[in-house]
Amino acid sequence: MTRIISGFAGSLVLKVPRSGTRPTSDRVREAIFSALDARDVLPGAHVVDLYAGSGALGLEAASRGASAVTLVERASGAASICKANAALVRRVAPRGAEPEITVAAQAAQTFLDHTPGGFDVVFLDPPYDLGPSELGKALASLVRSLRPGAIVMVERSSRSPEPVWPSGIALDRRKDYGETTLWWASAVHSDEEAGADASGDRERDAAAQASAEAHAPAGEDQPAEPFQSR
């Protein structure tokens, strides 16, 4: 049984497809949304739940204040359950503050190839047998649909390799929960990536210089810095 954990729809029981999906455990969902709540990113956010299954992740975000949620699920039976669960959530929403919830009954890649985007939070919880190249293609297609600073959460088997992050999405951290691994990443601009690389180069250069100075023979003069015109 899957329930909404918190928010205006807290404790609401959701329908779950009988087969073909792998619901995120309560423990992992609690960890996901505790992290998002700590960053205060859900109120008013535009959220997309790719490979949605029952839609539990996206609907949890709606319950906690997301203003627009898109559930993407290609299996017709699961997509129908997403629609039923979305109706349940909207029914208990505060009057006049119902979130916009859309169900896209199509493959995640097809959706990403045609969506106008503008997402603040993205959940990717694909089947564990989805290949790394397919996931990498989805992430690459996602980049143009992200708002600056958007959060991207990928849920995978702990035995799966790290996703291939495209330019425009940078890994923040990894967290393991038994057989499940969460990969947290953020949308970045190319100039931010360049700045981060330059900063890393400066730190490595400074460390190398400090090491060289520390190991120089006693009394030996250090080489003078080259003159630079101003």
Side-chain angles (χ1 to χ4, degrees):
M1 183 170 59
T2 298
R3 295 176 181 268
I4 298 292
I5 298 169
S6 187
F8 67 74
S11 298
L12 181 71
V13 177
L14 300 176
K15 298 178 180 180
V16 177
R18 292 186 178 182
S19 63
T21 62
R22 187 198 69 257
T24 301
S25 71
D26 288 349
R27 177 192 177 202
V28 174
R29 279 196 298 132
E30 287 177 0
I32 290 170
F33 285 96
S34 291
L36 292 174
D37 285 345
R39 297 175 69 169
D40 194 31
V41 297
L42 288 175
H46 286 214
V47 175
V48 62
D49 183 357
L50 300 169
Y51 314 97
S54 67
L57 289 174
L59 296 175
E60 183 76 39
S63 179
R64 295 178 186 239
S67 62
V69 174
T70 303
L71 308 177
V72 183
E73 175 55 58
R74 73 174 180 180
S76 58
S80 295
I81 285 177
C82 282
K83 291 177 182 178
N85 286 337
L88 290 174
V89 169
R90 284 182 55 83
R91 193 175 303 152
V92 299
R95 186 179 297 276
E98 297 90 345
E100 177 186 340
I101 305 175
T102 304
V103 177
Q106 57 188 166
Q109 188 63 54
T110 302
F111 172 81
L112 291 172
D113 287 342
H114 298 92
T115 180
F119 301 122
D120 301 296
V121 178
V122 181
F123 300 117
L124 294 96
D125 182 14
Y128 282 173
D129 60 1
L130 185 80
S133 61
E134 294 174 270
L135 177 58
K137 182 179 179 181
L139 287 168
S141 299
L142 176 64
V143 172
R144 67 178 182 82
S145 300
L146 300 174
R147 288 179 174 169
I151 295 173
V152 178
M153 194 284 299
V154 180
E155 180 177 338
R156 295 292 272 163
S157 165
S158 57
R159 295 183 293 275
S160 298
E162 179 177 347
V164 177
W165 305 106
S167 177
I169 298 179
L171 176 65
D172 292 331
R173 67 186 185 278
R174 166 184 176 158
K175 184 69 175 178
D176 294 321
Y177 300 88
E179 292 296 307
T180 298
T181 294
L182 298 182
W183 301 92
W184 292 91
S186 301
V188 295
H189 292 300
S190 57
D191 54 345
E192 291 180 85
E193 291 181 311
D197 290 342
S199 177
D201 290 341
R202 287 193 296 271
E203 290 176 359
R204 286 189 290 271
D205 290 345
Q209 181 178 348
S211 177
E213 292 174 354
H215 291 86
E220 181 177 317
D221 292 337
Q222 297 300 314
E225 293 185 0
F227 174 78
Q228 296 184 10
S229 61
R230 302 190 185 279

